[in-house]
Amino acid sequence: MTAKLIKGTEIREQILEEITAEVAEIKAKYGKVPGLVTILVGSNPASISYVTLKIQTAHRVGFKEVQDNQPPDISEAALLALIDKYNKDDSINGILVQLPLPKHIDEKKVLNAIDPDKDVDGFHPVNVGRLMIGGSEVKYPPCTPAGIQELIVRAGVETKGAEVVVVGRSNIVGKPIANMMVQKGPGANATVTIVHTGTRDLASHCKRADILIVAAGVPDLVKPEWIKPGACVIDVGVNRVGEKISEKTGKKVAILKGDVDFDRAKEIAGYITPVPGGVGPMTITMLMKNTLKSLKFGLGIA
Ligand code: NAP
């Protein structure tokens, strides 16, 4: 059996087109576009490239985008005052603070200062609580888990009654996706198990999964013999396992591998996401979706 590839790169394009069309419609009707601000403290090269990608994507879908760069020695108080300014700014619907922050700043304090109604990353404790309650309480599902659910749904995989096994229990992937898949509603209503390093027999749990979501950060952790024939395998892992020279640019690039032994797993699974090009492209896409949602909440049309 050769699995159907779930291509995040293609699904991203579909969703970004849908968002662009909706932004244009709202602009014509209400004269407003979603506003997204990205606050970058310092000049960490990885952070710069993440922020640039977010801003470029926001621009592409027709948002107002603001990149607010701050020096590495900005005080915690000044950063909190900046967040307060954007909390009160009606033209801004989403506030992102790029992590990591310099050591003299308390990250938790800063993230918790963002108005939960503008927390389009979905990490504020209020939004974590809303996600836990589920249904219409949910405002901003965190972006990577939301992307995972979108991939499963758009691939046409049945979730109702499915055995879902999630490998990993981080606050940004494992716990929220498990929580989302267990909710009573479309794209969910599954029976969910979370496994981690304290789990006694990882393989036996994975073997039961109709949908196996792996977010461990361990290359090739999931062996092909752990996969139920025909299962949907979502590989969230992004592991740098070496470097190569890019054929396109001639520059050195990282060799990336997922948490699943892809080459052999694709012969057993029914559906599988590649790494790169699977879950990865979905995170920023869902960030755009959340920012659009934030404007729609404000206009009373969500
Ligand atoms: P994390 O915070 O390090 O959490 C990893 C989880 O996996 C932990 O709960 C850990 O268990 C569990 N785990 C690790 N090794 C295991 C093993 N051998 N057996 C069973 N469980 C194991 O990682 P994360 O932030 O969730 O990220 C996971 C992976 O997804 C990383 O490769 C990351 O780069 C990738 N990721 C990708 C995206 C994206 O594509 N957009 C977004 C986020 C993350 P314990 O809790 O017991 O330690």
Side-chain angles (χ1 to χ4, degrees):
M1 174 171 205
T2 302
K4 186 169 178 254
L5 263 192
I6 305 179
K7 294 181 187 160
T9 40
E10 282 179 9
I11 294 175
R12 167 185 61 194
E13 293 308 305
Q14 284 169 19
I15 298 174
L16 290 180
E17 277 170 28
E18 290 164 14
I19 293 174
T20 309
E22 209 177 339
V23 169
E25 224 173 88
I26 292 174
K27 189 178 176 185
K29 202 162 173 190
Y30 298 92
K32 289 195 170 172
V33 297
L36 179 68
V37 62
T38 336
I39 302 172
L40 173 68
V41 178
S43 53
N44 175 322
S47 296
I48 292 174
S49 69
Y50 291 137
V51 165
T52 306
L53 201 54
K54 287 171 190 173
I55 288 292
Q56 282 172 347
T57 311
H59 182 76
R60 173 183 161 182
V61 295
F63 289 4
K64 165 186 168 175
E65 81 283 354
V66 179
Q67 184 171 341
D68 191 331
N69 293 341
Q70 294 294 327
D73 59 352
I74 184 174
S75 69
E76 188 179 283
L79 188 56
L80 290 171
L82 191 65
I83 289 171
D84 189 48
K85 182 187 95 170
Y86 288 120
N87 280 343
K88 291 175 179 150
D89 183 341
D90 285 343
S91 72
I92 295 297
N93 305 98
I95 303 172
L96 298 177
V97 177
Q98 187 62 47
L99 301 179
L101 290 172
K103 292 219 166 12
H104 66 280
I105 296 176
D106 182 346
E107 269 183 13
K108 219 177 186 178
K109 202 166 166 186
V110 168
L111 294 182
N112 289 354
I114 297 172
D115 178 348
D117 289 343
K118 294 190 179 187
D119 165 47
V120 287
D121 259 337
F123 292 143
H124 192 288
V126 168
N127 284 319
V128 175
R130 287 169 170 165
L131 191 78
M132 188 75 176
I133 295 167
S136 60
E137 282 293 325
V138 182
K139 281 204 143 176
Y140 309 118
C143 301
T144 301
I148 294 170
Q149 192 178 37
E150 195 81 37
L151 289 179
I152 295 169
V153 169
R154 290 195 187 227
V157 174
E158 178 62 271
T159 57
K160 185 177 174 212
E163 289 283 342
V164 171
V165 175
V166 179
V167 184
R169 56 178 161 188
S170 71
N171 288 328
I172 62 165
V173 189
K175 279 189 219 160
I177 188 61
N179 183 35
M180 289 163 75
M181 297 308 292
V182 83
Q183 299 292 342
K184 197 167 185 174
N189 219 356
T191 303
V192 181
T193 306
I194 307 182
V195 295
H196 42 74
T197 58
T199 300
R200 247 182 270 140
D201 185 355
L202 200 60
S204 72
H205 288 285
C206 294
K207 280 179 190 171
R208 280 191 294 106
D210 301 310
I211 300 173
L212 180 61
I213 301 169
V214 193
V218 180
D220 290 348
L221 172 68
V222 172
K223 313 293 174 232
E225 55 275 19
W226 297 7
I227 294 168
K228 182 174 171 180
C232 170
V233 178
I234 306 289
D235 190 351
V236 190
V238 180
N239 305 292
R240 287 165 192 266
V241 293
E243 283 183 336
K244 62 176 181 184
I245 302 294
S246 158
E247 281 175 22
K248 262 195 211 159
T249 62
K251 288 184 183 164
K252 251 191 208 169
V253 289
I255 301 173
L256 301 179
K257 229 177 181 315
D259 289 350
V260 176
D261 179 347
F262 179 84
D263 289 335
R264 294 194 292 150
K266 74 178 191 324
E267 300 304 322
I268 300 161
Y271 299 82
I272 193 164
T273 56
V275 177
V279 174
M282 296 301 289
T283 301
I284 292 181
T285 307
M286 301 317 284
L287 183 66
M288 300 302 134
K289 207 165 175 180
N290 278 350
T291 309
L292 171 58
K293 243 180 157 183
S294 175
L295 173 66
K296 287 165 71 179
F297 283 126
L299 293 171
I301 55 168

